[in-house]
Amino acid sequence: MKRTVTLTTLVLGLIGAATIAGDANEMLQIRLRGHYYAEPATVQITVAVEPAADNRSLVIEADGENYFRSSAVVLDGQNEKRLHSVEFKNLPAGSYTLRAQVRSSQDVLATATQDLVVTGIGGR
């Protein structure tokens, strides 16, 4: 069963979080430090997934106009840890949508998104 996503941005210091609405057992959050990075960007992403029996995989994507990167983590349902970290290195300049999806063996159970901008002013 696919959930409707409501995006909420919480600002606490430099950390932003994107959250889907739903029961505590169906919550998914993306956390990163800031929304703007200098090229070539190394972005550390923390995704919080409430453990649930149907959770089988977590897919995290950085989707830009000219560049795409993704990473997948196998989840062990109710026995899985809550926090997962992924690092995307050397992201080129551009605007990205970070997307995290929790999937069962057949469906997307939850999706959260967060905007990210990599500027071309960094050193190489």
Side-chain angles (χ1 to χ4, degrees), residues 33-83:
R33 293 178 182 251
H35 297 280
Y36 299 94
Y37 294 81
E39 178 185 44
T42 296
V43 180
Q44 295 179 351
I45 305 161
T46 300
V47 180
V49 179
E50 289 297 325
D54 290 339
N55 295 355
R56 292 293 167 247
S57 66
L58 170 64
V59 177
I60 303 162
E61 303 170 338
D63 191 359
E65 188 174 306
N66 297 314
Y67 191 81
F68 178 85
R69 180 168 298 168
S70 69
S71 182
V73 177
V74 175
L75 300 177
D76 188 20
Q78 189 66 36
N79 300 318
E80 188 60 53
K81 63 183 180 180
R82 186 172 184 274
L83 297 177

Short mmCIF file of all heavy atoms in Angstrom, two decimals, residues 33-83:
data_model
loop_
_atom_site.label_atom_id
_atom_site.label_comp_id
_atom_site.label_asym_id
_atom_site.label_seq_id
_atom_site.Cartn_x
_atom_site.Cartn_y
_atom_site.Cartn_z
N ARG A 33 23.14 17.80 6.53
CA ARG A 33 23.64 19.06 7.10
C ARG A 33 23.62 20.13 6.02
O ARG A 33 24.51 20.19 5.19
CB ARG A 33 25.06 18.87 7.63
CG ARG A 33 25.09 17.96 8.81
CD ARG A 33 26.52 17.77 9.28
NE ARG A 33 26.50 16.84 10.39
CZ ARG A 33 26.74 17.19 11.64
NH1 ARG A 33 27.04 18.42 11.94
NH2 ARG A 33 26.68 16.29 12.59
N GLY A 34 22.59 20.95 6.05
CA GLY A 34 22.45 22.03 5.09
C GLY A 34 21.80 21.58 3.79
O GLY A 34 21.53 20.40 3.59
N HIS A 35 21.55 22.55 2.93
CA HIS A 35 20.94 22.28 1.63
C HIS A 35 21.83 22.72 0.48
O HIS A 35 21.53 22.47 -0.67
CB HIS A 35 19.59 22.98 1.52
CG HIS A 35 18.60 22.50 2.52
ND1 HIS A 35 17.88 21.34 2.35
CD2 HIS A 35 18.22 22.99 3.72
CE1 HIS A 35 17.10 21.15 3.40
NE2 HIS A 35 17.29 22.14 4.24
N TYR A 36 22.94 23.43 0.80
CA TYR A 36 23.84 23.96 -0.22
C TYR A 36 25.25 23.45 0.02
O TYR A 36 25.76 23.51 1.13
CB TYR A 36 23.82 25.50 -0.20
CG TYR A 36 22.46 26.05 -0.48
CD1 TYR A 36 21.58 26.38 0.55
CD2 TYR A 36 22.03 26.24 -1.79
CE1 TYR A 36 20.32 26.87 0.29
CE2 TYR A 36 20.76 26.73 -2.06
CZ TYR A 36 19.91 27.05 -1.02
OH TYR A 36 18.66 27.52 -1.28
N TYR A 37 25.88 22.95 -1.06
CA TYR A 37 27.22 22.38 -0.99
C TYR A 37 28.03 22.92 -2.15
O TYR A 37 27.48 23.28 -3.19
CB TYR A 37 27.17 20.85 -1.07
CG TYR A 37 26.51 20.21 0.11
CD1 TYR A 37 25.13 20.12 0.21
CD2 TYR A 37 27.27 19.68 1.14
CE1 TYR A 37 24.52 19.53 1.30
CE2 TYR A 37 26.66 19.09 2.25
CZ TYR A 37 25.29 19.02 2.32
OH TYR A 37 24.70 18.44 3.40
N ALA A 38 29.36 22.95 -2.00
CA ALA A 38 30.25 23.37 -3.08
C ALA A 38 30.76 22.14 -3.84
O ALA A 38 31.02 21.10 -3.25
CB ALA A 38 31.43 24.16 -2.51
N GLU A 39 30.87 22.28 -5.15
CA GLU A 39 31.34 21.21 -6.02
C GLU A 39 32.84 20.97 -5.81
O GLU A 39 33.58 21.93 -5.63
CB GLU A 39 31.08 21.62 -7.47
CG GLU A 39 31.56 20.64 -8.50
CD GLU A 39 31.39 21.18 -9.91
OE1 GLU A 39 31.70 22.36 -10.15
OE2 GLU A 39 30.93 20.41 -10.75
N PRO A 40 33.35 19.78 -5.85
CA PRO A 40 32.65 18.49 -5.88
C PRO A 40 32.16 18.16 -4.47
O PRO A 40 32.94 18.15 -3.52
CB PRO A 40 33.72 17.51 -6.34
CG PRO A 40 35.01 18.10 -5.83
CD PRO A 40 34.81 19.59 -5.85
N ALA A 41 30.90 17.91 -4.33
CA ALA A 41 30.27 17.78 -3.01
C ALA A 41 30.33 16.35 -2.49
O ALA A 41 30.11 15.39 -3.22
CB ALA A 41 28.83 18.23 -3.08
N THR A 42 30.64 16.25 -1.21
CA THR A 42 30.48 15.00 -0.48
C THR A 42 29.32 15.22 0.47
O THR A 42 29.40 16.08 1.35
CB THR A 42 31.75 14.62 0.29
OG1 THR A 42 32.80 14.39 -0.66
CG2 THR A 42 31.53 13.36 1.12
N VAL A 43 28.24 14.49 0.26
CA VAL A 43 27.02 14.68 1.04
C VAL A 43 26.77 13.45 1.88
O VAL A 43 26.66 12.34 1.36
CB VAL A 43 25.81 14.94 0.11
CG1 VAL A 43 24.54 15.14 0.92
CG2 VAL A 43 26.07 16.13 -0.80
N GLN A 44 26.73 13.66 3.19
CA GLN A 44 26.43 12.57 4.12
C GLN A 44 24.94 12.63 4.44
O GLN A 44 24.44 13.65 4.90
CB GLN A 44 27.25 12.69 5.38
CG GLN A 44 28.73 12.51 5.10
CD GLN A 44 29.57 12.66 6.36
OE1 GLN A 44 29.11 13.06 7.40
NE2 GLN A 44 30.85 12.34 6.23
N ILE A 45 24.26 11.53 4.19
CA ILE A 45 22.81 11.45 4.34
C ILE A 45 22.48 10.43 5.40
O ILE A 45 22.99 9.31 5.37
CB ILE A 45 22.15 11.04 3.01
CG1 ILE A 45 22.57 11.99 1.89
CG2 ILE A 45 20.64 10.98 3.14
CD1 ILE A 45 22.36 11.43 0.51
N THR A 46 21.65 10.82 6.34
CA THR A 46 21.15 9.89 7.34
C THR A 46 19.66 9.70 7.10
O THR A 46 18.92 10.68 6.97
CB THR A 46 21.38 10.42 8.77
OG1 THR A 46 22.79 10.62 8.96
CG2 THR A 46 20.86 9.45 9.82
N VAL A 47 19.24 8.46 7.02
CA VAL A 47 17.83 8.14 6.80
C VAL A 47 17.34 7.35 8.00
O VAL A 47 17.95 6.35 8.39
CB VAL A 47 17.63 7.33 5.50
CG1 VAL A 47 16.16 7.01 5.30
CG2 VAL A 47 18.19 8.07 4.31
N ALA A 48 16.25 7.82 8.59
CA ALA A 48 15.62 7.13 9.71
C ALA A 48 14.41 6.37 9.19
O ALA A 48 13.53 6.95 8.54
CB ALA A 48 15.21 8.12 10.79
N VAL A 49 14.39 5.08 9.46
CA VAL A 49 13.29 4.21 9.03
C VAL A 49 12.78 3.47 10.26
O VAL A 49 13.54 2.77 10.92
CB VAL A 49 13.77 3.17 7.98
CG1 VAL A 49 12.61 2.27 7.57
CG2 VAL A 49 14.40 3.84 6.79
N GLU A 50 11.50 3.63 10.54
CA GLU A 50 10.93 2.86 11.65
C GLU A 50 10.85 1.40 11.23
O GLU A 50 10.30 1.08 10.17
CB GLU A 50 9.53 3.38 12.00
CG GLU A 50 9.53 4.73 12.67
CD GLU A 50 10.24 4.72 14.01
OE1 GLU A 50 10.18 3.71 14.74
OE2 GLU A 50 10.86 5.75 14.34
N PRO A 51 11.41 0.49 12.02
CA PRO A 51 11.35 -0.93 11.68
C PRO A 51 9.91 -1.43 11.55
O PRO A 51 9.05 -1.05 12.35
CB PRO A 51 12.06 -1.61 12.85
CG PRO A 51 12.94 -0.55 13.43
CD PRO A 51 12.17 0.73 13.24
N ALA A 52 9.66 -2.22 10.52
CA ALA A 52 8.34 -2.82 10.30
C ALA A 52 8.54 -4.14 9.56
O ALA A 52 9.49 -4.30 8.80
CB ALA A 52 7.44 -1.89 9.49
N ALA A 53 7.64 -5.07 9.77
CA ALA A 53 7.78 -6.41 9.24
C ALA A 53 7.93 -6.45 7.71
O ALA A 53 8.68 -7.27 7.19
CB ALA A 53 6.57 -7.26 9.65
N ASP A 54 7.26 -5.56 6.99
CA ASP A 54 7.30 -5.58 5.52
C ASP A 54 8.52 -4.91 4.91
O ASP A 54 8.75 -5.02 3.71
CB ASP A 54 6.04 -4.92 4.95
CG ASP A 54 4.79 -5.75 5.18
OD1 ASP A 54 4.93 -6.97 5.40
OD2 ASP A 54 3.69 -5.18 5.13
N ASN A 55 9.31 -4.17 5.70
CA ASN A 55 10.46 -3.44 5.16
C ASN A 55 11.53 -4.41 4.66
O ASN A 55 12.10 -5.17 5.43
CB ASN A 55 11.08 -2.53 6.22
CG ASN A 55 10.16 -1.43 6.66
OD1 ASN A 55 9.06 -1.25 6.12
ND2 ASN A 55 10.58 -0.67 7.64
N ARG A 56 11.82 -4.36 3.35
CA ARG A 56 12.82 -5.25 2.76
C ARG A 56 14.00 -4.52 2.16
O ARG A 56 15.09 -5.06 2.06
CB ARG A 56 12.17 -6.14 1.68
CG ARG A 56 11.20 -7.13 2.24
CD ARG A 56 11.93 -8.17 3.09
NE ARG A 56 11.01 -8.94 3.88
CZ ARG A 56 10.94 -8.90 5.21
NH1 ARG A 56 11.74 -8.14 5.90
NH2 ARG A 56 10.08 -9.63 5.86
N SER A 57 13.82 -3.26 1.71
CA SER A 57 14.94 -2.51 1.17
C SER A 57 14.73 -1.01 1.35
O SER A 57 13.60 -0.54 1.44
CB SER A 57 15.17 -2.83 -0.31
OG SER A 57 14.09 -2.39 -1.10
N LEU A 58 15.84 -0.31 1.40
CA LEU A 58 15.86 1.15 1.46
C LEU A 58 16.68 1.61 0.26
O LEU A 58 17.84 1.21 0.10
CB LEU A 58 16.50 1.63 2.76
CG LEU A 58 16.82 3.12 2.86
CD1 LEU A 58 15.53 3.95 2.81
CD2 LEU A 58 17.60 3.40 4.14
N VAL A 59 16.09 2.42 -0.60
CA VAL A 59 16.77 2.95 -1.77
C VAL A 59 16.90 4.46 -1.58
O VAL A 59 15.91 5.14 -1.32
CB VAL A 59 16.01 2.63 -3.07
CG1 VAL A 59 16.71 3.25 -4.27
CG2 VAL A 59 15.87 1.13 -3.24
N ILE A 60 18.13 4.98 -1.73
CA ILE A 60 18.40 6.39 -1.57
C ILE A 60 18.97 6.90 -2.89
O ILE A 60 19.91 6.32 -3.43
CB ILE A 60 19.40 6.65 -0.42
CG1 ILE A 60 18.84 6.04 0.86
CG2 ILE A 60 19.68 8.14 -0.26
CD1 ILE A 60 19.87 5.83 1.93
N GLU A 61 18.38 7.98 -3.43
CA GLU A 61 18.77 8.50 -4.72
C GLU A 61 19.10 9.99 -4.64
O GLU A 61 18.46 10.72 -3.89
CB GLU A 61 17.64 8.33 -5.74
CG GLU A 61 17.17 6.92 -5.91
CD GLU A 61 15.91 6.79 -6.73
OE1 GLU A 61 15.14 7.78 -6.83
OE2 GLU A 61 15.68 5.70 -7.27
N ALA A 62 20.07 10.42 -5.42
CA ALA A 62 20.33 11.83 -5.68
C ALA A 62 20.01 12.02 -7.16
O ALA A 62 20.74 11.54 -8.03
CB ALA A 62 21.77 12.20 -5.38
N ASP A 63 18.91 12.67 -7.45
CA ASP A 63 18.40 12.78 -8.82
C ASP A 63 18.52 14.22 -9.29
O ASP A 63 17.81 15.11 -8.81
CB ASP A 63 16.94 12.32 -8.83
CG ASP A 63 16.39 12.14 -10.23
OD1 ASP A 63 17.12 12.38 -11.21
OD2 ASP A 63 15.20 11.76 -10.33
N GLY A 64 19.47 14.47 -10.21
CA GLY A 64 19.69 15.79 -10.76
C GLY A 64 19.35 15.83 -12.23
O GLY A 64 19.11 14.81 -12.86
N GLU A 65 19.38 17.04 -12.79
CA GLU A 65 19.06 17.20 -14.21
C GLU A 65 20.06 16.46 -15.11
O GLU A 65 19.69 15.85 -16.10
CB GLU A 65 19.05 18.68 -14.56
CG GLU A 65 18.56 18.97 -15.95
CD GLU A 65 18.43 20.46 -16.19
OE1 GLU A 65 17.75 21.13 -15.39
OE2 GLU A 65 19.02 20.94 -17.17
N ASN A 66 21.35 16.49 -14.73
CA ASN A 66 22.38 15.86 -15.55
C ASN A 66 23.15 14.76 -14.85
O ASN A 66 24.17 14.29 -15.38
CB ASN A 66 23.38 16.93 -16.03
CG ASN A 66 22.72 17.97 -16.90
OD1 ASN A 66 21.97 17.64 -17.80
ND2 ASN A 66 22.97 19.23 -16.61
N TYR A 67 22.73 14.38 -13.66
CA TYR A 67 23.50 13.40 -12.89
C TYR A 67 22.56 12.64 -11.96
O TYR A 67 21.65 13.23 -11.38
CB TYR A 67 24.58 14.12 -12.08
CG TYR A 67 25.60 13.20 -11.45
CD1 TYR A 67 26.66 12.69 -12.19
CD2 TYR A 67 25.48 12.83 -10.12
CE1 TYR A 67 27.59 11.84 -11.62
CE2 TYR A 67 26.41 11.98 -9.54
CZ TYR A 67 27.46 11.49 -10.29
OH TYR A 67 28.38 10.65 -9.73
N PHE A 68 22.80 11.34 -11.83
CA PHE A 68 21.98 10.50 -10.96
C PHE A 68 22.88 9.54 -10.22
O PHE A 68 23.81 8.98 -10.80
CB PHE A 68 20.97 9.70 -11.80
CG PHE A 68 20.12 8.77 -11.00
CD1 PHE A 68 18.96 9.22 -10.38
CD2 PHE A 68 20.47 7.43 -10.85
CE1 PHE A 68 18.17 8.36 -9.64
CE2 PHE A 68 19.70 6.57 -10.11
CZ PHE A 68 18.54 7.03 -9.50
N ARG A 69 22.63 9.35 -8.95
CA ARG A 69 23.36 8.36 -8.16
C ARG A 69 22.36 7.72 -7.19
O ARG A 69 21.47 8.38 -6.68
CB ARG A 69 24.49 9.01 -7.38
CG ARG A 69 25.26 7.95 -6.56
CD ARG A 69 26.54 8.44 -6.00
NE ARG A 69 27.45 8.83 -7.06
CZ ARG A 69 28.56 9.51 -6.84
NH1 ARG A 69 28.89 9.87 -5.63
NH2 ARG A 69 29.35 9.83 -7.83
N SER A 70 22.54 6.42 -6.93
CA SER A 70 21.66 5.75 -5.98
C SER A 70 22.44 4.71 -5.18
O SER A 70 23.52 4.29 -5.56
CB SER A 70 20.49 5.07 -6.70
OG SER A 70 20.94 3.98 -7.47
N SER A 71 21.85 4.35 -4.07
CA SER A 71 22.41 3.33 -3.19
C SER A 71 21.25 2.56 -2.58
O SER A 71 20.19 3.15 -2.31
CB SER A 71 23.25 3.99 -2.10
OG SER A 71 23.83 3.02 -1.27
N ALA A 72 21.44 1.27 -2.38
CA ALA A 72 20.37 0.45 -1.79
C ALA A 72 20.91 -0.31 -0.59
O ALA A 72 22.06 -0.74 -0.58
CB ALA A 72 19.82 -0.53 -2.83
N VAL A 73 20.04 -0.47 0.40
CA VAL A 73 20.37 -1.20 1.63
C VAL A 73 19.29 -2.25 1.84
O VAL A 73 18.10 -1.95 1.74
CB VAL A 73 20.38 -0.23 2.85
CG1 VAL A 73 20.64 -0.97 4.14
CG2 VAL A 73 21.40 0.88 2.64
N VAL A 74 19.71 -3.48 2.11
CA VAL A 74 18.76 -4.55 2.42
C VAL A 74 18.31 -4.38 3.86
O VAL A 74 19.12 -4.16 4.76
CB VAL A 74 19.41 -5.94 2.23
CG1 VAL A 74 18.46 -7.05 2.66
CG2 VAL A 74 19.82 -6.13 0.78
N LEU A 75 16.99 -4.43 4.09
CA LEU A 75 16.43 -4.29 5.44
C LEU A 75 15.89 -5.63 5.93
O LEU A 75 15.38 -6.42 5.15
CB LEU A 75 15.29 -3.26 5.44
CG LEU A 75 15.65 -1.84 5.00
CD1 LEU A 75 14.41 -0.97 4.98
CD2 LEU A 75 16.72 -1.25 5.89
N ASP A 76 16.01 -5.83 7.23
CA ASP A 76 15.56 -7.08 7.86
C ASP A 76 14.27 -6.86 8.65
O ASP A 76 14.16 -7.22 9.81
CB ASP A 76 16.67 -7.60 8.78
CG ASP A 76 16.36 -8.99 9.33
OD1 ASP A 76 15.52 -9.69 8.74
OD2 ASP A 76 16.96 -9.35 10.36
N GLY A 77 13.30 -6.22 8.00
CA GLY A 77 11.99 -6.04 8.60
C GLY A 77 12.01 -5.42 9.98
O GLY A 77 12.67 -4.43 10.24
N GLN A 78 11.30 -6.04 10.90
CA GLN A 78 11.15 -5.55 12.28
C GLN A 78 12.48 -5.58 13.05
O GLN A 78 12.66 -4.84 14.00
CB GLN A 78 10.10 -6.41 13.01
CG GLN A 78 9.70 -5.88 14.36
CD GLN A 78 8.95 -4.55 14.27
OE1 GLN A 78 8.17 -4.32 13.36
NE2 GLN A 78 9.19 -3.69 15.24
N ASN A 79 13.42 -6.41 12.63
CA ASN A 79 14.70 -6.56 13.34
C ASN A 79 15.77 -5.56 12.90
O ASN A 79 16.88 -5.59 13.41
CB ASN A 79 15.24 -7.97 13.14
CG ASN A 79 14.28 -9.00 13.66
OD1 ASN A 79 13.70 -8.84 14.74
ND2 ASN A 79 14.07 -10.06 12.90
N GLU A 80 15.46 -4.69 11.94
CA GLU A 80 16.44 -3.77 11.38
C GLU A 80 16.67 -2.57 12.30
O GLU A 80 15.77 -2.16 13.03
CB GLU A 80 15.96 -3.29 10.01
CG GLU A 80 16.97 -2.48 9.24
CD GLU A 80 18.25 -3.24 8.96
OE1 GLU A 80 18.18 -4.36 8.41
OE2 GLU A 80 19.33 -2.72 9.29
N LYS A 81 17.87 -2.00 12.22
CA LYS A 81 18.16 -0.78 12.97
C LYS A 81 17.38 0.38 12.35
O LYS A 81 16.92 0.31 11.21
CB LYS A 81 19.66 -0.48 12.97
CG LYS A 81 20.24 -0.21 11.59
CD LYS A 81 21.73 0.00 11.65
CE LYS A 81 22.27 0.26 10.24
NZ LYS A 81 23.69 0.47 10.24
N ARG A 82 17.24 1.46 13.11
CA ARG A 82 16.44 2.60 12.67
C ARG A 82 17.22 3.56 11.77
O ARG A 82 16.68 4.09 10.81
CB ARG A 82 15.92 3.35 13.90
CG ARG A 82 14.97 4.47 13.57
CD ARG A 82 14.35 5.05 14.84
NE ARG A 82 13.38 6.05 14.50
CZ ARG A 82 13.68 7.33 14.28
NH1 ARG A 82 14.91 7.75 14.38
NH2 ARG A 82 12.73 8.18 13.96
N LEU A 83 18.48 3.82 12.06
CA LEU A 83 19.25 4.82 11.32
C LEU A 83 20.19 4.17 10.31
O LEU A 83 20.87 3.19 10.62
CB LEU A 83 20.07 5.68 12.28
CG LEU A 83 19.26 6.52 13.26
CD1 LEU A 83 20.19 7.28 14.18
CD2 LEU A 83 18.32 7.47 12.53
#
